[in-house]
């Protein structure tokens, strides 16, 4: 049975159930906090020559992976709420809290490392655009499921697919920066020796591939996992409501 026919469109969770809004707010917030902590530690370790190299490498990887997971989780939750046809309040709370909390943690991290809070408007704009796209993708996938001509076709357009599709656009900006850096390096071919140019090309290509893997592949897998968790919670709430309705009759 597809997600479209297993999940309720509206209604509050039964008494004793876990509100779907709780994990939708808590998980992106936790990942955001961990990501900014990793970023702060990386800046601190990288500027301290006494720190071993492995601590710098470890915090750098964490500072790249955790923000990607946070973006994927936030976009997946927005897409799931849109897919279920929940009221706009759920989507606005999920996106709004996720965006504001990330900005506040960013301000705190930059204040601790630089001595002043730094707010990046591009981060705010990117999150707003991605959340809006996730909402439209969730609604679009649900519409395809509702208009499917067969159960098999309907099953192809489940909530997990909506979450994965919603998370993929998050790779565009990080990969775009890497492409620009690679293009700038390629344009300096005549000013560099063959050895330095080849090493730089390998370096910037590696950054591009790493960001595609982290934000694209890992982000899509994280979104799929989030949608699976969301579907399980929603299905439990739907099952818990049925006995209560039967008793009321």
């Amino acid at each position: 049975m597809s997600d479209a026919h297993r999940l309720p469109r509206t209604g509050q969770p039964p008494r004793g159930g876990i509100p779907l809004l709780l994990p939708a707010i808590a998980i992106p917030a936790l990942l955001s906090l961990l990501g900014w902590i990793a970023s702060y530690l990386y800046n601190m370790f990288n500027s301290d020559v006494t720190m071993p190299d492995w601590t710098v490498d470890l915090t750098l990887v964490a500072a790249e992976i955790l923000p990607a997971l946070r973006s994927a989780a936030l976009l997946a939750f927005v897409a799931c709420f849109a897919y279920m046809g929940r009221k706009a309040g759920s989507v606005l709370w999920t996106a709004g809290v996720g965006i504001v909390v990330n900005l506040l943690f960013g301000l705190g991290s930059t204040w601790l490392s630089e001595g002043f809070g730094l707010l990046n408007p591009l981060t705010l704009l990117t999150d707003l655009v991605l959340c809006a796209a996730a909402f439209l993708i969730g609604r679009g996938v649900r519409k395809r499921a509702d208009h499917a001509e067969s159960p098999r076709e309907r099953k192809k357009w489940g909530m997990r697919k909506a979450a994965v599709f919603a998370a993929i656009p998050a790779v565009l900006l990080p990969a775009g920066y890497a492409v620009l850096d690679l293009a700038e390096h390629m344009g300096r071919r005549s000013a560099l020796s063959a050895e330095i140019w080849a090493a730089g090309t390998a370096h910037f290509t590696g950054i591009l591939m790493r960001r595609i893997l982290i934000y694209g592949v890992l982000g899509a897998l994280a979104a799929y996992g989030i949608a699976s968790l969301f579907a399980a919670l929603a299905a439990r709430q739907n099952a818990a409501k049925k006995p209560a309705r039967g008793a009321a009759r």
Side-chain angles (χ1 to χ4, degrees), residues 119-229:
L119 177 63
N120 187 352
L122 183 59
T123 300
L124 173 61
L125 179 61
T126 300
D127 278 348
L128 289 173
V129 171
L130 290 176
C131 285
F135 176 80
L136 295 176
I137 289 171
R139 285 290 180 88
V141 174
R142 180 57 188 254
K143 186 176 181 180
R144 290 292 300 267
D146 289 342
H147 289 82
E149 297 181 354
S150 66
R152 183 177 181 181
E153 180 68 19
R154 188 181 302 114
K155 189 175 182 180
K156 294 179 180 179
W157 297 97
M159 190 165 64
R160 294 172 180 84
K161 178 171 286 188
V164 171
F165 284 172
I168 289 176
V171 74
L172 295 178
L173 191 61
Y177 281 136
V179 169
L180 291 177
D181 290 339
L182 178 60
E184 181 181 1
H185 172 75
M186 298 290 285
R188 300 175 58 197
R189 175 66 181 88
S190 59
L192 301 173
S193 66
E195 182 178 351
I196 294 177
W197 183 81
T201 301
H203 172 73
F204 289 113
T205 301
I207 292 176
L208 173 61
M209 297 305 298
R210 185 170 73 242
R211 290 182 179 177
I212 291 175
L213 289 173
I214 291 175
Y215 281 89
V217 178
L218 184 60
L221 292 174
Y224 185 91
I226 288 292
S228 298
L229 171 65

Side-chain angles (χ1 to χ4, degrees):
M1 186 176 293
S2 69
D3 291 335
H5 281 246
R6 189 167 60 242
L7 301 177
R9 273 186 173 272
T10 58
Q12 298 298 321
R15 183 175 298 179
I18 299 176
L20 295 178
L21 194 58
L22 179 60
I25 290 177
I27 293 177
L30 177 60
L31 291 171
S32 177
L33 175 61
L34 295 176
W36 283 109
I37 290 175
S39 178
Y40 169 75
L41 292 177
Y42 167 73
N43 291 329
M44 185 175 65
F45 293 163
N46 193 42
S47 60
D48 188 350
V49 295
T50 64
M51 297 300 297
D53 292 340
W54 68 266
T55 60
V56 178
D57 295 336
L58 179 62
T59 52
L60 175 60
V61 172
E64 289 184 318
I65 291 179
L66 288 168
L69 295 179
R70 172 256 169 193
S71 295
L74 178 62
L75 299 176
F77 278 121
V78 170
C80 287
F81 277 126
Y83 184 91
M84 289 179 64
R86 295 293 291 265
K87 295 180 179 179
S90 298
V91 176
L92 292 176
W93 271 104
T94 301
V97 174
I99 293 172
V100 171
V101 165
N102 187 57
L103 290 175
L104 292 177
F105 285 148
L107 285 173
S109 176
T110 54
W111 182 80
L112 289 174
S113 59
E114 304 293 338
F116 59 91
L118 181 63
L119 177 63
N120 187 352
L122 183 59
T123 300
L124 173 61
L125 179 61
T126 300
D127 278 348
L128 289 173
V129 171
L130 290 176
C131 285
F135 176 80
L136 295 176
I137 289 171
R139 285 290 180 88
V141 174
R142 180 57 188 254
K143 186 176 181 180
R144 290 292 300 267
D146 289 342
H147 289 82
E149 297 181 354
S150 66
R152 183 177 181 181
E153 180 68 19
R154 188 181 302 114
K155 189 175 182 180
K156 294 179 180 179
W157 297 97
M159 190 165 64
R160 294 172 180 84
K161 178 171 286 188
V164 171
F165 284 172
I168 289 176
V171 74
L172 295 178
L173 191 61
Y177 281 136
V179 169
L180 291 177
D181 290 339
L182 178 60
E184 181 181 1
H185 172 75
M186 298 290 285
R188 300 175 58 197
R189 175 66 181 88
S190 59
L192 301 173
S193 66
E195 182 178 351
I196 294 177
W197 183 81
T201 301
H203 172 73
F204 289 113
T205 301
I207 292 176
L208 173 61
M209 297 305 298
R210 185 170 73 242
R211 290 182 179 177
I212 291 175
L213 289 173
I214 291 175
Y215 281 89
V217 178
L218 184 60
L221 292 174
Y224 185 91
I226 288 292
S228 298
L229 171 65
F230 196 95
L233 292 174
R236 288 182 62 182
Q237 290 182 3
N238 194 32
K241 290 172 67 175
K242 290 180 179 179
R245 288 178 178 174
R249 291 174 185 169

